[in-house]
Amino acid sequence: MSFRDTAEKWKDEAIRLRRHIHQNPELGHQEFETAKLVAQFLLEAGLEVQTGVGGTGVVGLLKGGRDGRTIGIRADMDALPIEERTGLPYASTREGVMHACGHDVHTAILLGTAAALSEHRDELQGTVKFIFQPAEEVRGGATVLIKAGVLQSPELDAIIALHVWPDLPAGKIGLRKGPCWLRQMLLIFG
Ligand SMILES: [Zn+2]
């Protein structure tokens, strides 16, 4: 199966995960249930999993069939102290807490990516480290992960991240090298 077909196969599951996480939002440094879901999913996908990284962080490691460099892909997991009034069928079930910044989407995308890449691990040249970060909104989430050694063992040669962006329609991506600021918050380690 081509990687594109594998990715397509995981699409519905990624949407289901996104909606589940959206319904159950957790604030920064308190992403206990989200971290549990992430860790369980990564284990089932056949990754090596580290939990409790810098508090609620989770790291999954996927070693490819061939030697190569190591790339990190990072997603944030925390929600905001906002009351949801969207009326969506999968709206937040927690009063005063909402995934209003899209970190539910980021987490689900990275889980789907991990599952799809895991199915192609034999073709993979190198290692992928999937980093699920706590507390992007309140800051400190990247710092606790770095202090916990997430950039080492294995050491990362590169790291990428993404953030949903209202101006970009689904299916399109925009690229930017280096740190990127949105609402004066640093999204990518830097
Ligand atoms: Zn955000």
Side-chain angles (χ1 to χ4, degrees):
M1 192 183 274
S2 72
F3 183 74
R4 179 179 279 273
D5 287 344
T6 307
E8 198 61 44
K9 193 185 79 178
W10 281 99
K11 187 175 142 189
D12 288 348
E13 176 67 0
I15 292 170
R16 191 194 66 77
L17 285 163
R18 185 260 162 156
R19 292 182 178 174
H20 177 84
I21 297 166
H22 191 87
Q23 276 185 301
N24 300 282
E26 296 174 295
L27 294 172
H29 297 298
Q30 298 167 41
E31 307 91 337
F32 302 108
E33 285 176 36
T34 309
K36 212 167 150 185
L37 178 148
V38 165
Q40 197 177 335
F41 185 93
L42 295 176
L43 277 174
E44 280 170 20
L47 273 69
E48 284 174 36
V49 180
Q50 234 184 311
T51 56
V53 185
T56 48
V58 182
V59 176
L61 203 62
L62 178 65
K63 287 179 182 153
R66 294 180 285 158
D67 286 343
R69 294 195 283 182
T70 301
I71 188 167
I73 315 180
R74 165 275 196 194
D76 37 20
M77 302 187 287
D78 57 320
L80 282 160
I82 292 174
E83 180 71 25
E84 179 159 6
R85 293 193 189 128
T86 62
L88 286 167
Y90 53 90
S92 172
T93 56
R94 302 206 170 132
E95 208 175 308
V97 188
M98 177 190 179
H99 269 295
C101 195
H103 301 184
D104 50 342
V105 183
H106 304 163
T107 302
I109 288 173
L110 195 52
L111 288 173
T113 305
L117 275 175
S118 184
E119 288 188 22
H120 287 262
R121 65 168 69 204
D122 292 347
E123 305 149 51
L124 199 63
Q125 188 177 351
T127 299
V128 186
K129 195 185 266 189
F130 299 90
I131 301 164
F132 294 83
Q133 180 199 312
E136 187 269 346
E137 302 290 4
V138 290
R139 297 204 175 191
T143 310
V144 291
L145 282 190
I146 292 167
K147 282 187 180 157
V150 83
L151 303 181
Q152 276 90 41
S153 56
E155 192 172 340
L156 297 181
D157 295 295
I159 185 164
I160 54 171
L162 65 75
H163 202 292
V164 287
W165 203 274
D167 300 336
L168 281 176
K172 291 220 171 193
I173 59 165
L175 295 172
R176 186 182 171 115
K177 192 178 173 184
C180 179
W181 294 80
L182 170 68
R183 293 182 301 128
Q184 295 165 344
M185 292 175 100
L186 190 59
L187 301 174
I188 303 174
F189 297 149

